[in-house]
Structure formats: structure tokens, C-alpha cells
Amino acid sequence: MEKGSFEVKVGLAEMLKGGVIMDVTTVDQAKIAEDAGAVAVMALERIPADIRKDGGVARMSDPKLIKGIQAAVSIPVMAKCRIGHFVEAQILESLEVDFIDESEVLTPADEANHIWKQSFKTPFVCGATCLAEALRRIGEGAAMIRTKGEAGTGNIVEAVRHMRTIINEMKHLTQLGPDQLMSEAKKMGAPFHLVEQIAKTGKLPVPNFSAGGIATPADAALVMQLGAEAIFVGSGIFKSDDPAKRAKAIVQAATYFQDPQKLAEISFGLGAAMRGMDLNDIPEEERLAGRGW
Amino acid sequence: MLIGVLALQGGFQRHLVMLERIGVRTIEVRYAHQLEKCDALVLPGGESTTMTHLLLTENLWEPIHEFVQAHPVFGTCAGAILLSQNAHDTRVKPFGVLDVEADRNAYGRQVESFITILNLAEIGCDAYEAVFIRAPQLKLASNRVQVLGSENGRAVLLRQNNVLAATFHPELTQDPAIHRYFVESMVRKSLTITNKAQANV
């Protein structure tokens, strides 16, 4: 019997496809998320919009909060650790969280190294802004990739940019001959065997999800139509007027993302979405997507 | 032959790939009317709470409940839970066509997920690599259930007439043996019987 292998890690990511993973900060929110049809919850002390507002150092959540949420719901529970903070990851593994998000939403702990994820039994999800970044994370052992987007903004523009970039770069690789791949891998700064694999298959060897700025059912359907296989919603739900209703609507949108009529029905009378931010109002140094490499 | 794969959420894509690999036409099922064309249905893995929620809000629960009474159906992991009599959880509403009691996530959380080799002699496969992800355990509630595979004394591949259930994920491996068994021994047989019945009318 083999536990914690790459296949077992990717297996859970496969089962989350077509679903919505919701950020929650309390047991009550976790229950609302589960009742609305979330496939998993991300247990956090503060949602990204508040982390952005409060400033300071954002760290792993209190284990007490994580345990409380694990006891309250039957769906997988994820939690975030800081980029490069492998001890936070060790603690999260000991708490038996189902997935660890090595996340740019928290303040990075190591500017040079991400966590060596292959040495963990718990699967990891990591953010990426482009294909090379995704392949570096997979090389370290990530079992799921998500776009970084720009968390806590309620603005989908960055998630769209990252998803389109990743998809376009994969397409590009499939058009190259084997004689060009080493040079491409050098240029990208990505592991050669993964570059070679993408050139053959045209897709990531792990599920490719979208996160960062999803606030409406239409946003969810947009990234799904662009190629995302499931979505993370952070601030978009619990910063809106009617979280339960919006959560349900986004769950439906992830299933019926190709049906505009249905999306119209789903979007009907949801109340106000989170207010959101224009990316031009966020100075470069305050953007979360630039954290990690 | 057309096999529908319930595509509300979960591992439906991998089932489609596996079925197409063995030459079966498939359709992703998201609407009740699509069932009319289907000769059989696959309920994939994923989250049984999410699927229950969508089955109910999309008015799919009743049509599928009716469909699985008379057609071949194959449920894996969450799909197997949905076929059970009872999952002892108000968040999950099973169809009750397999005489078992389901215990969700019975092995534990993701760190307890595992791969093991099963002997499935009944379907002609003595070394099948089975992937268990936050898997349920099924307790037999009648002698109408035939156990086709077990792990550590627990039934993990079961059949009851037109119903096939696996607590693991045959769609995540490269071996189509279990899908082939479903198609050849269950779906094709049921089509032959239906055709004969129609010919006799």
C-alpha cells in the first residue's frame, strides 16, 4: 500500500474538477460554503481583501481555526502557508489538511526558494502567472496549479491574463520540434522533462485551476471557458451582500459555464457583488502576484 | 451504444477518456433530457455533497433515480455513495439501488489516501492498481450484493444486477479492465435483452 505518491495527490485534485473552492474564516462560513455546494474550503484567518487592507505580515492560520473547520464540514479542508515556509507546511500536514496552498496571499518567508513539495505526503497547490512558473512549481512537487490572479481585488483581469498566458504558452510548445525544446526550456527557466511533456500533450500534467478576483458567476464561467478546470473564490463570496446565494450561484456557474441562458438565470437578483478595485489603483509593490517566481 | 457520464462535478473527464479508449460513444450529462439517449450511466467521483446539491437544485435527482432502476449504472467513490441505500449524512441523498450502507471518508483524510494492488479474479484481472482517494467504505446490507473485489477484507468493487460500484477510481489508472467489464458484461448484455424483447413484441 502506497500513500502520498504523486498519483494519489493528483487524484484528489482530479476529484475537485468542475467545482468551487471557497475561502472561509469561520465555522459558520464553512457550513454556508458546504451547503452551497463547495467542493472544498480554504481555512483562513482573514480573506485576501482584508489582508490587503490590514497590511502587516500575513501568516498561516491558527491550528485551532483549522481544526474547528475540519470538524464542521465533510468536504476537503485546505489551508495556506507562506511561500518557502516549510515548517508552516509541516504543521499543516500534521493537522491533516487535505491540500496545502503555498500562497502569495501570505507574506513570503523565503525570497529564493519555494517549498520542496515532493518531500510531503500532503498535496500542494501553487499559484502561477505563466507556464514557466507553473512548471517550476510542478517540478518541486505541486499537484495542482492555479492562476495567481490578483487576490482580494474582485477584479478578474489578472486571472484572465494568467490563464491566457499559460494556455498560449502551452500551445506554442506543441508547435516546436524536439530540437528546439532545450533552448526553450533554458529561455523559460523550466525543467526540461516537463517542457518536453507539455510539447507532447499540450496540457499540464496536473489540474489547472483559476483563482484571484472571481466575484460573479460570469467571472467563474469566463475562466472556465478559457480553460480553467475548477475555481477558487476568495473574497468574492463573503464580501458580497448575500454570500449564501452568491456561493450557490457560482457553484452552478462552474457546472453550466457553457450555457449563457442558464448563466443569466443564475445571475438573477444576486445583490451587490464585492466592490472591487481597479488594478491601476494598486501600486506595483503592493501586488500579490509578484510574490514568488 | 451511448453511455452518459454525469458531469456536474468531479472526475467525469477521465471516465469519458477511458470509455472512448475502449470504443464507446459517450455524452456528458448535465440536463435531464440527455438521459433519454443514454443506454447506461456513470456516476463519477468528486464530492457527494456537491453532487447532491446540484442534483436537487437542477431537478436531476428524480430523473436519475428513475433511470438507475432499469439501466446499467457504474458509480465510483462519490458515485458509489450515491448508489447506496444510506450514507448516514443529511448532506447526501443516495438513490438506494445498491444494498449497502456507505461510510464517507472512512479511511480518513487525504494523507490516508493510497494506491494498492487488487486481485479481481471475477473480472479476469489478478493485479489491478487501485487508487483510493478519501474513499468511502461500504457495508453490505443484503446477500443480493456480489463482491467482485476486496481490500483488507472490505468490499471495494461490488455488483447488484444492473449496478456496479467501486470505492476507488478505475478512471485514474491506465487499465480499462473494469470499464470493459461494465460495458461488455452489463451494458451490452442489457442491450441484447432489450433488443430481444423488442423483437418478440
Side-chain angles (χ1 to χ4, degrees):
Chain A
M1 185 186 291
E2 191 190 354
K3 292 182 185 177
S5 68
F6 187 65
E7 287 71 24
V8 165
K9 292 173 179 175
V10 174
L12 178 56
E14 289 284 342
M15 293 312 130
L16 301 174
K17 281 185 177 176
V20 183
I21 300 145
M22 300 182 192
D23 278 4
V24 297
T25 59
T26 64
V27 165
D28 285 345
Q29 286 184 355
K31 284 183 183 158
I32 291 173
E34 183 172 53
D35 287 345
V39 288
V41 291
M42 178 77 71
L44 277 171
E45 269 168 15
R46 290 175 293 169
I47 53 175
D50 291 333
I51 291 176
R52 186 178 282 288
K53 203 174 67 193
D54 298 350
V57 174
R59 309 178 178 91
M60 175 189 83
S61 298
D62 189 328
K64 189 178 169 200
L65 171 85
I66 295 168
K67 279 280 166 204
I69 289 174
Q70 283 175 326
V73 297
S74 64
I75 52 180
V77 175
M78 303 187 177
K80 289 185 194 287
C81 70
R82 285 179 264 178
I83 290 174
H85 205 315
F86 53 85
V87 173
E88 284 187 350
Q90 290 164 3
I91 293 171
L92 293 176
E93 176 158 275
S94 82
L95 294 172
E96 300 194 340
V97 304
D98 295 292
F99 239 102
I100 298 173
D101 185 0
E102 186 184 18
S103 177
E104 70 283 0
V105 167
L106 305 184
T107 313
D110 189 330
E111 289 179 338
N113 305 291
H114 283 250
I115 295 170
W116 181 248
K117 294 166 272 287
Q118 290 190 22
S119 65
F120 286 80
K121 279 189 170 167
T122 307
F124 277 75
V125 52
C126 288
T129 58
C130 62
L131 181 59
E133 195 175 4
L135 298 186
R136 288 191 287 269
R137 297 295 86 76
I138 296 167
E140 292 158 355
M144 181 201 295
I145 292 297
R146 55 170 177 76
T147 59
K148 283 184 175 171
E150 188 58 32
T153 60
N155 191 333
I156 195 72
V157 67
E158 291 300 300
V160 168
R161 187 198 318 280
H162 300 158
M163 188 52 73
R164 278 201 187 274
T165 303
I166 292 170
I167 302 276
N168 287 345
E169 288 172 342
M170 288 198 287
K171 243 183 238 165
H172 170 67
L173 283 186
T174 62
Q175 290 157 358
L176 300 180
D179 55 325
Q180 295 170 290
L181 293 178
M182 187 59 83
S183 152
E184 194 67 19
K186 180 183 176 218
K187 210 163 40 179
M188 291 170 73
F192 176 71
H193 73 284
L194 292 173
V195 171
E196 207 181 16
Q197 195 177 339
I198 306 287
K200 269 190 208 131
T201 63
K203 58 198 248 323
L204 291 181
V206 304
N208 184 13
F209 290 15
S210 188
I214 296 165
T216 68
D219 289 347
L222 175 64
V223 288
M224 297 281 292
Q225 284 198 28
L226 285 174
E229 295 173 303
I231 53 170
F232 286 82
V233 185
S235 319
I237 289 172
F238 290 100
K239 279 285 171 192
S240 73
D241 271 6
D242 190 341
K245 201 168 167 189
R246 185 163 294 265
K248 278 179 196 156
I250 294 178
V251 166
Q252 285 173 291
T255 298
Y256 296 96
F257 66 96
Q258 288 166 312
D259 182 344
Q261 221 172 337
K262 187 94 191 173
L263 290 170
E265 274 170 44
I266 293 165
S267 306
F268 217 82
L270 286 184
M274 73 178 281
R275 186 164 178 280
M277 297 169 83
D278 188 327
L279 266 291
N280 293 320
D281 297 338
I282 308 171
E284 205 63 48
E285 64 276 12
E286 287 178 22
R287 295 196 186 180
L288 304 177
R291 294 171 166 182
W293 45 276
Chain B
M1 181 194 299
L2 181 67
I3 299 186
V5 179
L6 186 67
L8 297 178
Q9 187 273 317
F12 56 88
Q13 199 65 45
R14 298 291 287 263
H15 275 291
L16 295 166
V17 169
M18 194 64 108
L19 289 167
E20 281 157 22
R21 237 180 78 192
I22 57 172
V24 177
R25 282 198 310 131
T26 58
I27 177 175
E28 295 177 18
V29 174
R30 292 190 182 83
Y31 305 92
H33 69 85
Q34 292 171 317
L35 289 169
E36 291 161 20
K37 298 184 256 185
C38 296
D39 298 306
L41 186 65
V42 173
L43 305 178
E47 285 304 317
S48 53
T49 52
T50 303
M51 289 186 208
T52 296
H53 172 78
L54 285 166
L55 287 166
L56 295 174
T57 49
E58 302 302 327
N59 298 317
L60 274 162
W61 196 92
E62 283 296 340
I64 292 180
H65 182 244
E66 195 178 314
F67 185 92
V68 298
Q69 306 299 322
H71 296 84
V73 57
F74 178 22
T76 60
C77 197
I81 294 171
L82 288 177
L83 293 171
S84 73
Q85 277 181 347
N86 199 334
H88 302 288
D89 191 326
T90 52
R91 296 168 284 207
V92 178
K93 188 176 178 189
F95 296 116
V97 286
L98 180 64
D99 294 348
V100 297
E101 310 260 326
D103 185 6
R104 299 177 59 216
N105 308 330
Y107 293 88
R109 296 187 167 276
Q110 172 63 12
V111 285
E112 303 297 334
S113 292
F114 61 97
I115 295 180
T116 193
I117 305 294
L118 301 179
N119 180 354
L120 306 177
E122 298 270 357
I123 68 162
C125 186
D126 57 5
Y128 188 90
E129 191 184 89
V131 186
F132 291 77
I133 306 287
R134 286 171 47 96
Q137 289 174 7
L138 306 177
K139 207 175 86 197
L140 272 56
S142 87
N143 54 15
R144 287 183 294 185
V145 184
Q146 185 190 357
V147 177
L148 300 175
S150 358
E151 173 277 317
N152 252 331
R154 299 182 190 97
V156 293
L157 182 66
L158 313 88
R159 179 174 173 182
Q160 182 175 340
N161 305 321
N162 61 318
V163 178
L164 182 67
T167 61
F168 54 96
H169 293 280
E171 75 283 9
L172 291 184
T173 55
Q174 295 305 314
D175 189 344
I178 297 175
H179 285 79
R180 190 168 282 139
Y181 171 82
F182 177 62
V183 170
E184 298 305 330
S185 305
M186 296 175 67
V187 187
R188 210 173 294 285
K189 265 203 186 128
S190 96
L191 287 176
T192 317
I193 293 165
T194 321
N195 288 343
K196 269 189 195 151
Q198 279 166 353
N200 288 339
V201 171

